[in-house]
Amino acid sequence: MTFKRKLSPTERFYISCDDFNAEETATCVVNQMVLEGQGDIDIPAWQKAVTQASEALQGTRFRLSGKLGFSHWADAGKTTQLDVIRGLNWDGMSDNAAPFLNRPLDVKTSTGCEVLLVLGEESGKHHIIFRTHHAVMDGRGTKIFADEVLRALRQQSLHGDNSFVRDVDLAKSVTIVPGEKVNDTVTAPTGVPLGQDFGSSWQRRTLPGSYKQVLANAGISIAKLANLYSDSAVRIQLPVDLRMHDTDIVSTGNLTGGLLMQVSPETTTASWAQQIKLKIAENEHARMPQFAGIPTLNALNWVPLAWLKKFNDKLALKRQETGQYRTSGIISNLGFLKVDEYSAAGFNCTSVFFIPPYFNTTALFLVLAGNKDSVEVILRIPHQLSSNGRAEHALSQICHGICFGHEQNINSDELPLKQAS
């Protein structure tokens, strides 16, 4: 059965961020869920399971059709495939030596999903990466896809999906109040932009053990970091899954709302929790954002993608010149991930983490994920804001806050960090 669903304005914006002009520097807004482990992987079994999961999940087969306000998702007529990459021996701790992480996903010509099996033939460390265009899925949707693949590997019944609801429509069922227009009034947590490089990079740290109030302590750490460079206010964006408002929905789609949190070095974990509780109660997470110069969010559907891209690039240049941003950063907390559930067909999974998507207008993007005996901390910062050791310092300060809270000052050299083995 074929399907068709109108494009959401938010999804249209994500597609406009794609840049395929230069092959080596091509970028697009991609979710990347990484399974890390060892073993003698049964590649044909994984390939078959990816195909079976894609057959069951219609959202994995979206391809963009139509123009402007007539744009819609339609069945691409093909399933997601698994691609095997050999010989690079990527360690999974950064984007160094990992060109496959920048592979474009062009939703105009194919599905917005792919699965990569990166074999570490010398190290013995393997990575299975679920890559989805953010216009097609959000982080939670990507996990739904991965979970379906593992069910197929275990020959369990597949869940499939049952809804093509759009983020704007799900949000509207919760509240009709639009999001507040927020101007660029905060500085980056790592100081002023330097240089003309609009690329970005990320680094990962694994914190052994279990920790409380991870999200709050990470946010307060960012506020303390920002305070080293400026007395500007600190405003952090938290993605929020809108699926909580209709638990019958099974959808891989981009169904993410968001909260804006005001944070300072004096913020406590208790006040952070209270702030979230109040904002959720007032449905702030379901208020769709406003874009400068756009009278309504739906008007984005009638703006050509090329114009949206020019607007976004112009905004990135403006922020580079002024050092002023809409938010100090984004923190996405994936919560506790059951690592053992991702072992199958010769693959022994030892950790699961998500790589922050690339946005050339974002000052900082942090992703947190709890594993059975550790916390994964992955930080992406633009090159303009990460030079001169600023990225390493920021990551150390954030990990320090997660490990020790904010009751005492401990030298960052004492952090219990490790490189995953």
Side-chain angles (χ1 to χ4, degrees), residues 99 116 123 169 198 221 414:
L116 304 181
S123 65
D169 298 322
F198 283 92
S221 297
E414 298 177 21

Side-chain angles (χ1 to χ4, degrees), residues 213 215-217 220 238 259 261 267-281:
Q213 305 294 340
L215 176 60
N217 280 324
I220 298 167
L238 302 181
L259 292 178
M261 301 285 289
T267 299
T268 65
T269 56
S271 63
W272 173 282
Q274 181 66 12
Q275 194 180 158
I276 289 181
K277 182 179 179 180
L278 291 174
K279 287 177 177 290
I280 293 290

Side-chain angles (χ1 to χ4, degrees), residues 182-253:
V182 179
N183 295 319
D184 293 354
T185 56
V186 299
T187 58
T190 55
V192 298
L194 299 173
Q196 301 295 321
D197 186 347
F198 283 92
S200 72
S201 58
W202 61 267
Q203 298 179 51
R204 168 185 166 215
R205 296 289 183 273
T206 302
L207 307 180
S210 60
Y211 305 92
K212 296 180 179 179
Q213 305 294 340
V214 171
L215 176 60
N217 280 324
I220 298 167
S221 297
I222 291 174
K224 288 190 171 185
L225 180 68
N227 195 240
L228 297 175
Y229 295 95
S230 168
D231 59 1
S232 164
V234 176
R235 186 187 301 132
I236 293 176
Q237 181 176 336
L238 302 181
V240 178
D241 187 1
L242 294 172
R243 293 171 181 81
M244 67 169 132
H245 294 290
D246 190 339
T247 55
D248 292 330
I249 287 177
V250 181
S251 171
T252 58

Side-chain angles (χ1 to χ4, degrees), residues 317-337:
L317 181 60
K318 175 188 174 185
R319 289 177 176 173
Q320 186 272 332
E321 292 173 343
T322 65
Q324 298 286 303
Y325 294 81
R326 180 178 183 269
T327 64
S328 308
I330 302 171
I331 307 179
S332 180
N333 181 23
L334 276 300
F336 181 75
L337 302 175

Side-chain angles (χ1 to χ4, degrees), residues 31 132 134 136-142 241 243 252-256:
N31 306 292
T132 65
H134 213 325
V136 172
M137 296 186 188
D138 55 13
R140 188 64 59 187
T142 307
D241 187 1
R243 293 171 181 81
T252 58
N254 180 57
L255 297 175
T256 299

